[in-house]
Amino acid sequence: MAEVKLRDVRKTYTGGIEAVKGVSFDVPDGALCVLVGPSGCGKSTLLRMIAGIETITSGEIRIGERIVNDIEPSERDIAMVFQNYALYPHMSVYDNMAYGLRNRGTPKAEIETRVREAAKMLEIEPYLKRRPRDLSGGQRQRVAMGRAIVRKPAVFLFDEPLSNLDAKLRGQMRVEIKKLQRSLDVTSVYVTHDQLEAMTLADILVVLNLGQIEQIGPPLELYSRPASMFVAGFIGAPAMNFIPVRADGDGLSAEGGGLSGARGFAVPKQGAVLGVRPEHLTLSGIEGGALFDLEVMVVEAVGAETFIYGKLPTGKEVIVRLYDNIPKVGGRITVSAAREHLHLFDSGSGRRI
Amino acid sequence: MKRALFQNRFLPFLLIAPQIAITMIFFYWPAIQALWQSFLLQDAFGLSTTFVWFENYKHLYESAEYYRTIGTTLFFSTIVSFTSLSIALLLAVQADKPLRASGIYRTLLIWPYAVAPAVAGVLWAFMFQPSFGILARGLRELGYDWNPLLNGNHAMTMVVAAAAWKQISYNFLFFLAGLAAIPRSLHEAAAIDGARPFRRFWTIVFPLLSPTTFFLIVVNIVYAFFDTFGIIDAMTGGGPAKATETMVYKVYFDGRLGGDLGGSAAQSVILMIIVIGLTAIQFKYVERKVTY
C-alpha cells in the first residue's frame, strides 16, 4: 500500500535528447493511473524511472514515504509487467513466478502457497509445469501478471501489457486487469498508447506529449473538458472535429460559410479553433447550438452506428455519428451540437479558451 | 528446398566440380590411403610391405604408450577448452556492457584468431623461453624455477596457455552474439525480481547461453584435438619426454620421424572416428535439442 509521487522528474539522455521534461503527478493509494500518449512521448521512460531500471536525471520519485531515486529496483517494492512479458524461457511457469520470492529468501512453503493462490486467481493452474514457449499469448500474459502478483508489491507497473495480444483477447484481458487491480487494491501505473484502454482502465489519466504533461484528471473529465487540442484529439474515437472559426454578432462563423449559431462565445480577434465530437452532432436542431451545413462525402456503416464524412464549403472534413435517418452520399445535411459540447481552443497555443 | 533452374544440363555439375575435386583429393583420397595403410606393415627401409590385417591396431591396443598419449590429449583438450571458454565468457560479459570504447575493445579481442597456430606457438615459446623469455624471466624473478625444456608440467602449462589464448577470440565472438540475443527486458525483470548481478548471471544468463556453450565445447574439443598441432610442434615438439605429445602429434611423430607408416595410419583412422563422432554429436544436439 503506497502512494506514488513524482516531482519535476526529468530525463536527459547522453547526446542531449530530453525524453521527459519535468513531470509531476501523484497517484493516490490503491488508484490505477494510466500514462497515455503517442510513441516517443516519454511515457515508457517515465515508467522505467519509477521501476528503477532507468536513471533519473533530476527531480524526485517517492513510493510511500521513501524517496526512491537511488534505490535499487529490487528494493523499491514494485513489480512490473513487460510488453514482451519478459518470462524466463528456461524456467517452468511455477519457477517463473517463484523466482522473485526465492531471491528474497521466502520460505519454500510460503512460496508454494502464494504461487498456487496467484495461479488459481489467474486460472493458470494447469500450466504451472509448462515452459513459456508452450503457452499462448494470453496465457503468457497471465503468467507475467502472476509473477507480479505473488510478490505482493506496493506498486504494480504495467508497460503496454496488452499490445502483443489480438483485439479480442485484449478486450478480455483489459477487463481482467481492472478486476484484479480492484480486488488486490494495489496502486498501479499503467502505460499505453491505446486511448480506449486508457479511458476504461484509469482512475487518473495522464496525457503526455513530447515529454510533458498535457492534462491530468479522471478520464471522463478529460473527455468532456480537454485542456488542449492535443488531448481533445487524442481522447475519443473517431477523433474530435476541428474547424477554424471567427465570431461576430450572429455567433460563430467559418471561412467560406457552412457554420452558424452559437451566439455569445468570446472568440479572440484573430480567430480560434472550434472542436466538436462526432457523437455530439445530431440531425435535430438544437436551440442555441452551432449549426453545420455539410455535403455528404462518405457513409461508413459500422452496424450499431454510422459515420458520415461530411464537408464544409471550404473542403474541411467533419465526421458525424448517426444512428438513423442516414443520408445519401452527395446529399446535404444540417447537423447541430449543443453549446456544452462546443470546445474552443486558441489557434496558436492549442490551449482551451 | 527451392529448385534452381539451369538452362544447361552440365553447368550445375561444372560449378560444383572444383569443390568435389578438392574434397576428393584432399579429404577422401588421404582418408582411404590411411585406411589402406593401417592394414600394412613396412620394413624399416621401406623395401617390402606386408598386409597384416588388424596387426597395427592390435599393437596400439597393447601399447601403454598410446594410452598415455590418449590421457595427455584428454587432459590437454579439457584444460584448453575450459580455460579458453571461461576467459572468453568473462570477456564477453564485460564487453556486453555499455562501454565507451566497446568497438575498439571488441576488435582487439578478435585479433588473436587471425594468428596462425605455428606463429602463436613461436610467440608464446619466445615469451616462455627459459633464458630470455619475458614471462620466464618474470617467473624466475618471483623465485620460481621455470624450465619447460626439462619440466613436463611447465611445458604442458605453456602449450595450454598458447592454445587457449588462440581460441579465446573465436569463443568470445560466439558468446558475445549469444549474450546480445538475450532480451534486455529479461535482465530488467530479473533485477526487479531481486537477483543481484552475480546471481542473475548464473540463474538467467548462463542457462540461456547453454546452446552457445554446448556448441563451443564441441568446437573447442575438436580444436584442441587437431588444430593445436602447429602450436605443439613449434613450442615443445611433444616433449620433454613426450609430456606434451597429443594423439595428432604422435601420428606425425611415429609416421614421419619414426617411419612406422602402418602404426601411424592406424592412429589416423582412430582420430578420424573421433572426429566423425564429435561431428555427429554436434549435428544431433546443437541443431535441435538445446535451443530456446
Side-chain angles (χ1 to χ4, degrees):
Chain A
M1 300 293 102
E3 299 173 285
V4 176
K5 289 184 176 180
L6 277 74
R7 283 293 164 272
D8 198 28
V9 173
R10 287 169 194 275
K11 176 75 191 183
T12 312
Y13 285 107
T14 39
I17 299 156
E18 266 194 297
V20 177
K21 303 169 186 167
V23 166
S24 308
F25 64 87
D26 293 354
V27 186
D29 192 9
L32 201 166
C33 167
V34 174
L35 306 180
V36 69
S39 53
C41 71
K43 56 188 189 297
S44 274
T45 311
L46 209 49
L47 190 78
R48 294 164 60 82
M49 285 197 282
I50 300 173
I53 49 184
E54 194 88 63
T55 55
I56 302 160
T57 308
S58 73
E60 189 183 288
I61 296 178
R62 274 174 193 271
I63 295 174
E65 290 308 306
R66 289 189 304 170
I67 296 176
V68 295
N69 286 26
D70 299 316
I71 293 176
E72 289 285 319
S74 56
E75 306 297 318
R76 291 189 181 197
D77 205 8
I78 51 132
M80 185 157 166
V81 178
F82 290 82
Q83 182 173 359
N84 63 0
Y85 317 136
L87 298 177
Y88 312 122
H90 58 298
M91 294 186 196
S92 67
V93 167
Y94 184 95
D95 290 337
N96 261 284
M97 289 164 74
Y99 186 69
L101 295 173
R102 283 187 188 137
N103 288 337
R104 286 174 171 76
T106 314
K108 224 174 169 181
E110 165 94 21
I111 294 179
E112 173 94 25
T113 329
R114 287 216 219 167
V115 171
R116 299 262 168 221
E117 197 182 313
K120 197 170 176 190
M121 202 189 304
L122 292 160
E123 294 162 25
I124 47 172
E125 272 179 307
Y127 317 121
L128 282 176
K129 287 206 176 78
R130 291 205 202 162
R131 293 281 173 88
R133 64 157 177 266
D134 301 324
L135 301 178
S136 69
Q139 289 164 344
R140 284 179 205 185
Q141 169 66 53
R142 282 163 196 270
V143 177
M145 305 242 295
R147 192 169 61 177
I149 290 171
V150 292
R151 294 252 320 279
K152 298 192 172 162
V155 179
F156 280 141
L157 303 173
F158 297 92
D159 188 7
E160 310 213 17
L162 305 182
S163 58
N164 283 359
L165 299 178
D166 61 58
K168 194 180 161 209
L169 210 51
R170 203 180 307 158
Q172 226 173 37
M173 289 305 292
R174 197 174 65 214
V175 177
E176 284 195 35
I177 288 181
K178 181 89 176 172
K179 272 198 274 183
L180 205 63
Q181 199 270 339
R182 280 283 166 275
S183 65
L184 296 169
D185 199 27
V186 173
T187 315
S188 305
V189 183
Y190 187 110
V191 160
T192 181
H193 61 264
D194 182 312
Q195 64 95 21
L196 184 64
E197 253 173 59
M199 289 296 289
T200 50
L201 284 173
D203 296 317
I204 311 151
L205 189 52
V206 178
V207 180
L208 289 160
N209 184 29
L210 302 170
Q212 277 172 321
I213 293 183
E214 285 277 336
Q215 192 173 2
I216 307 179
L220 284 177
E221 189 183 306
L222 267 65
Y223 173 82
S224 53
R225 277 190 66 82
S228 66
M229 277 175 71
F230 180 83
V231 176
F234 198 81
I235 304 248
M240 188 184 270
N241 298 300
F242 293 114
I243 305 125
V245 292
R246 289 177 182 286
D248 53 36
D250 293 333
L252 297 173
S253 65
E255 197 185 328
L259 172 62
S260 60
R263 284 173 200 236
F265 272 99
V267 175
K269 259 212 180 79
Q270 72 275 17
V273 175
L274 174 68
V276 60
R277 295 192 185 278
E279 57 269 35
H280 292 146
L281 290 165
T282 66
L283 286 169
S284 48
I286 293 170
E287 192 69 30
L291 293 170
F292 299 83
D293 289 316
L294 302 172
E295 185 188 342
V296 178
M297 305 306 293
V298 175
V299 174
E300 213 177 54
V302 191
E305 54 203 11
T306 303
F307 295 107
I308 315 295
Y309 292 73
K311 194 175 80 172
L312 285 169
T314 45
K316 182 78 192 156
E317 188 184 75
V318 174
I319 305 175
V320 183
R321 189 183 70 177
L322 296 177
Y323 292 97
D324 42 25
N325 298 324
I326 308 302
K328 291 231 155 37
V329 175
R332 300 198 73 87
I333 52 170
T334 302
V335 290
S336 65
R339 289 182 71 91
E340 66 266 28
H341 291 142
L342 299 177
H343 310 270
L344 276 175
F345 301 100
D346 186 285
S347 43
S349 70
R351 306 303 298 179
R352 186 182 191 87
I353 298 174
Chain B
M1 192 177 281
K2 204 180 145 193
R3 262 184 90 103
L5 291 175
F6 289 99
Q7 296 295 329
N8 190 320
R9 282 182 58 197
F10 298 103
L11 185 62
F13 296 101
L14 199 68
L15 290 174
I16 58 165
Q19 183 60 52
I20 295 273
I22 287 170
T23 314
M24 284 297 177
I25 294 166
F26 291 103
F27 292 91
Y28 285 101
W29 178 243
I32 291 163
Q33 283 267 304
L35 194 61
W36 173 242
Q37 284 211 336
S38 72
F39 295 127
L40 302 179
L41 189 64
Q42 260 183 339
D43 72 280
F45 304 100
L47 295 174
S48 68
T49 307
T50 332
F51 189 82
V52 293
W53 281 112
F54 290 98
E55 197 65 36
N56 288 319
Y57 293 96
K58 194 167 160 253
H59 183 72
L60 284 176
Y61 182 72
E62 287 161 354
S63 146
E65 199 191 321
Y66 194 59
Y67 287 107
R68 206 187 70 164
T69 311
I70 292 175
T72 309
T73 312
L74 289 178
F75 176 79
F76 174 76
S77 52
T78 308
I79 302 290
V80 166
S81 305
F82 182 78
T83 312
S84 174
L85 283 168
S86 355
I87 296 175
L89 181 57
L90 186 73
L91 291 171
V93 168
Q94 299 306 319
D96 192 44
K97 293 175 182 165
L99 290 171
R100 200 162 294 236
S102 60
I104 298 168
Y105 180 60
R106 288 175 195 184
T107 310
L108 288 177
L109 277 168
I110 292 158
W111 275 0
Y113 192 58
V115 178
V119 176
V122 169
L123 197 99
W124 280 81
F126 260 124
M127 289 198 289
F128 277 125
Q129 213 281 337
S131 44
F132 54 83
I134 185 161
L135 291 176
R137 269 179 39 192
L139 283 168
R140 189 153 303 163
E141 261 160 47
L142 290 171
Y144 194 82
D145 185 23
W146 175 259
N147 197 340
L149 297 181
L150 293 176
N151 187 321
N153 291 337
H154 292 178
M156 181 53 105
T157 310
M158 196 169 76
V159 286
V160 164
W165 172 77
K166 222 191 101 49
Q167 194 63 6
I168 286 173
S169 303
Y170 183 88
N171 297 339
F172 169 78
L173 271 183
F174 276 87
F175 275 134
L176 196 62
L179 287 171
I182 299 173
R184 262 189 70 82
S185 59
L186 281 186
H187 292 272
E188 293 167 352
I192 291 174
D193 265 342
R196 303 249 152 223
F198 189 75
R199 188 171 159 75
R200 221 182 299 161
F201 177 81
W202 288 112
T203 54
I204 307 289
V205 177
F206 193 70
L208 289 179
L209 273 181
S210 63
T212 309
T213 311
F214 186 79
F215 162 78
L216 285 176
I217 286 173
V218 176
V219 169
N220 275 263
I221 290 173
V222 172
Y223 161 81
F225 261 69
F226 303 98
D227 289 352
T228 49
F229 173 83
I231 289 173
I232 291 169
D233 191 42
M235 291 181 93
T236 64
K242 307 230 176 265
T244 56
E245 187 181 69
T246 60
M247 289 163 81
V248 169
Y249 199 80
K250 192 172 163 61
V251 170
Y252 163 77
F253 193 87
D254 289 0
R256 292 283 302 186
L257 308 177
D260 176 14
L261 287 182
S264 167
Q267 291 177 38
S268 305
V269 173
I270 290 168
L271 282 170
M272 253 190 278
I273 292 164
I274 293 173
V275 179
I276 291 167
L278 285 170
T279 314
I281 291 172
Q282 180 157 334
F283 277 146
K284 189 159 186 217
Y285 292 98
V286 171
E287 310 266 297
R288 295 187 258 140
K289 211 177 170 189
V290 204
T291 47
Y292 288 110

